[in-house]
Amino acid sequence: MTRKLLLAALLAAPALFACGGGESAPVAPPPPPPPPPAFAISFAETALEVREGETLAVGVRYEVRDLPGPVQVRLSATHDGASEADYELGVDSVELPAGHDLAGEANFELSAVADLFFTEGAEVLPLAFAYSGGPADLGDPVEISILEAGASPCPGISIIGLPWREEESPDEDLANMLATTLNLEIGAGGAGVRLEILGPYFDLGTNGRIAESVSAFGINRWSVRTGSGAIVHELDVNWSGEEWFEEEAEESLDLAFLGGACSGDPVASCTSAGCEIVP
């Protein structure tokens, strides 16, 4: 009996050794740490503003840790609130110099394009850095707000309007009406300027010796307020989008600015595409 127990113990020993008493498998060494960023670059500000028609200098800060040669860091824009037509960049990338443990500053220009002075609401342009040549610290984007500037037909006068909208015409002979809200701001330099609505008018022909015409526009509301040292006239205006006999031709709403410091009697001419100043 004792010999049987001894034999069973001897047979079980290799199994016990294999399960817990042997050498463990070799442990893989940890992966090497990622290489440090070759450089760091960031915008000097997190938020900036620029008015339409003006140019903004955007500041950049950088630290070069180890670059054997100069590199180009691309500028990348996200067009959520502003389109490519709303701005122009002086450069499409920023060049960093080669070297070791360098620091410096740079800047580039962004120009906000003046549109046809129809307000477009909030225009925010997020601008970021993009680089695919290796590890780099690119910092946070900068948000650039493009502010409405309107148009200035004369010194001291600015005009801006809401985007046009289409309204059903009360006259069955007219297919539609266009409507907008115009804001005319008169500052100190605009004293003595007169506003005259030139049309559109429809020619009804001659009745005897009198030439008759009818207005193709309407002023639904005209309010006046003061603010920031200026007087602001706000007009809700509608006008014909089509002529009676030429369905494809769109009439323009023309506002003339006369007297005061105005030169050449400029006209603000508005269609559904926007408004422009005609000297």
Side-chain angles (χ1 to χ4, degrees):
M1 183 70 176
T2 304
R3 300 175 77 181
K4 290 181 179 180
L5 291 173
L6 179 61
L7 179 59
L10 291 173
L11 291 173
L16 293 171
F17 183 82
C19 290
E23 295 182 3
S24 60
V27 178
F39 63 87
I41 187 170
S42 64
F43 293 103
E45 305 286 345
T46 58
L48 294 167
E49 293 182 347
V50 61
R51 189 170 295 278
E52 288 179 345
E54 297 181 356
T55 297
L56 172 71
V58 182
V60 174
R61 297 171 181 157
Y62 63 86
E63 293 180 4
V64 173
R65 290 160 187 159
D66 188 13
L67 283 178
V71 298
Q72 301 287 334
V73 183
R74 188 168 56 87
L75 294 168
S76 175
T78 303
H79 298 121
D80 292 332
S83 71
E84 293 184 10
D86 292 322
Y87 70 96
E88 294 177 353
L89 287 174
V91 296
D92 57 9
S93 62
V94 177
E95 181 176 293
L96 301 187
H100 183 73
D101 291 338
L102 300 177
E105 298 181 354
N107 62 68
F108 61 89
E109 291 186 344
L110 180 145
S111 298
V113 177
D115 58 20
L116 298 178
F117 67 92
F118 267 167
T119 182
E120 298 166 314
E123 293 180 322
V124 179
L125 175 69
L127 199 60
F129 294 114
Y131 181 72
S132 58
D137 183 356
L138 301 180
D140 295 325
V142 60
E143 288 196 345
I144 300 175
S145 298
I146 300 176
L147 307 179
E148 303 288 352
S152 180
C154 315
I157 304 289
S158 66
I159 177 172
I160 191 169
L162 295 177
W164 72 283
R165 60 191 181 274
E166 187 172 324
E167 293 184 350
E168 184 177 352
S169 173
D171 192 324
E172 62 181 12
D173 291 322
L174 300 177
N176 57 41
M177 298 288 284
L178 304 178
T180 188
T181 298
L182 298 176
N183 283 271
L184 289 84
E185 183 173 314
I186 304 175
V193 175
R194 306 190 315 276
L195 171 66
E196 181 177 335
I197 301 179
L198 302 181
Y201 295 96
F202 291 138
D203 185 4
L204 300 182
T206 302
N207 183 7
R209 297 173 57 185
I210 301 175
E212 295 188 37
S213 63
V214 61
S215 167
F217 64 88
I219 299 176
N220 301 325
R221 181 181 64 88
W222 190 324
S223 64
V224 181
R225 66 180 187 273
T226 58
S228 302
I231 299 175
V232 180
H233 294 256
E234 187 172 271
L235 292 75
D236 288 342
V237 185
N238 60 30
W239 71 99
S240 169
E242 298 174 353
E243 291 184 358
W244 279 349
F245 306 111
E246 298 180 22
E247 294 185 356
E248 299 302 321
E250 181 184 323
E251 292 281 358
S252 62
L253 175 68
D254 295 334
L255 310 175
F257 298 86
L258 310 171
C262 292
S263 175
D265 298 337
V267 173
S269 181
C270 299
T271 67
S272 60
C275 301
E276 61 181 342
I277 300 297
V278 181

